[in-house]
Amino acid sequence: MNALNKKPLALATALMAASLALPAAAQETQKSMQTQQAGASIRVGHNVVDAVDDVRENVADLIGSLRHSGVSMGVANWQQSDSQLDKMEQKLNQQMEHRLDEKAERTDDDWSTWITGDDYKVSVTQQVNELASNLDEVAKMLGGAKSQKMQEIDSADVANQVDDLQETVEDLVQALERMDGMSVNKPNLQKAQQRLDVMEKELDRQTEMAEEEWRPYAMGDQFTPGVQKNITELAQILRSLFQQS
């Protein structure tokens, strides 16, 4: 009789233990999911900052390339323009790089706090708009300029820098598309991607030019206007990313 009584008692005890364990297990599962979500947010948010830094680096490289080729590209008031480009390049390679490195070196806890706050979007938006402004200034300098005895090797370097910049801007657009909580204008991202696709095709066509076609273009008076057009387009694309229409 005692043995029979023990079985229901043992069963009841087991059921009670299981019922108590369920909330704990659910809490652990929820905690695990939150950790995974935080990890994903940190990773995706970090990708955006990395993409902005890549754009910064490419803008600085493009400016450096233009400083080397500016005279032959026909830029007016070259000494003044070169001085302005020098200041822009230094700012990109020092102040802005330092700000981005500081963000990238945060701990996970700092990132989780920063990425969910308003400062994250404000910081990213400001940096992207600053890069767009730099490109606007460069495009303005190239306005009305026509190449003068441009060296083919210099043209190739400038063209490569524009091509690299197009790719990094596209990487930024794609990183923003994967980012939640940024209040990014999704239609603007789609339009930006479409504009980048068109530019990529144009740049690919230049890359695929036969030598007898490339040399006259690279050393001719239409090279600088073509570069200016692409830089203006990239500046507009960057600025459009956070515009709310």
Side-chain angles (χ1 to χ4, degrees):
M1 187 71 178
N2 288 339
L4 291 174
N5 287 337
K6 285 181 180 178
K7 287 184 179 179
L9 181 61
L11 180 59
T13 303
L15 288 172
M16 183 178 294
S19 65
L20 291 172
L22 283 173
Q27 289 176 3
E28 285 299 319
T29 301
Q30 184 178 11
K31 184 177 179 181
S32 176
M33 289 176 63
Q34 289 174 344
T35 301
Q36 291 174 1
Q37 289 171 353
S41 297
I42 289 173
R43 185 182 71 250
V44 174
H46 208 291
N47 287 344
V48 171
V49 173
D50 283 347
V52 173
D53 191 41
D54 288 343
V55 174
R56 174 205 62 78
E57 185 175 353
N58 277 125
V59 171
D61 289 344
L62 174 61
I63 289 173
S65 180
L66 292 173
R67 290 189 65 201
H68 180 72
S69 310
V71 174
S72 56
M73 290 184 75
V75 177
N77 302 317
W78 174 241
Q79 287 187 339
Q80 179 181 347
S81 296
D82 184 47
S83 176
Q84 187 176 351
L85 288 171
D86 180 42
K87 291 177 182 177
M88 290 167 60
E89 187 178 13
Q90 287 187 35
K91 187 175 181 180
L92 287 166
N93 284 331
Q94 295 174 13
Q95 296 180 24
M96 191 170 186
E97 182 180 16
H98 175 72
R99 293 203 307 269
L100 288 167
D101 285 346
E102 185 181 22
K103 303 298 185 187
E105 292 168 1
R106 290 170 179 255
T107 64
D108 283 357
D109 288 341
D110 290 337
W111 261 95
S112 295
T113 302
W114 181 55
I115 208 170
T116 55
D118 292 336
D119 183 56
Y120 178 80
K121 182 182 178 182
V122 170
S123 297
V124 172
T125 303
Q126 286 178 342
Q127 288 156 1
V128 170
N129 286 336
E130 185 176 337
L131 290 167
S133 296
N134 286 330
L135 292 177
D136 280 335
E137 287 298 316
V138 172
K140 185 178 179 181
M141 289 180 192
L142 296 177
K146 291 187 178 181
S147 308
Q148 301 171 357
K149 298 180 180 179
M150 189 81 175
Q151 295 293 312
E152 186 179 354
I153 190 170
D154 292 337
S155 297
D157 184 48
V158 172
N160 286 337
Q161 295 300 338
V162 173
D163 190 48
D164 288 345
L165 182 56
Q166 183 274 335
E167 290 180 4
T168 52
V169 171
E170 185 171 14
D171 289 342
L172 173 59
V173 170
Q174 292 174 355
L176 288 170
E177 286 177 341
R178 294 188 290 269
M179 184 69 196
D180 293 326
M182 284 284 288
S183 300
V184 178
N185 190 315
K186 296 294 185 180
N188 281 5
L189 290 181
Q190 293 173 356
K191 291 177 183 177
Q193 184 61 62
Q194 291 169 358
R195 294 168 75 176
L196 288 165
D197 289 342
V198 172
M199 182 182 292
E200 183 178 9
K201 290 179 181 178
E202 293 177 355
L203 293 172
D204 286 346
R205 193 186 72 80
Q206 290 181 13
T207 303
E208 294 165 1
M209 280 182 179
E211 189 67 20
E212 58 271 17
E213 185 182 5
W214 163 252
R215 291 198 70 192
Y217 172 72
M219 302 172 70
D221 60 6
Q222 292 305 306
F223 179 78
T224 301
V227 171
Q228 186 211 21
K229 172 180 172 290
N230 287 327
I231 291 175
T232 299
E233 178 76 353
L234 288 168
Q236 291 175 355
I237 290 171
L238 284 174
R239 188 165 282 109
S240 74
L241 298 181
F242 296 100
Q243 288 177 345
Q244 299 297 324
S245 55

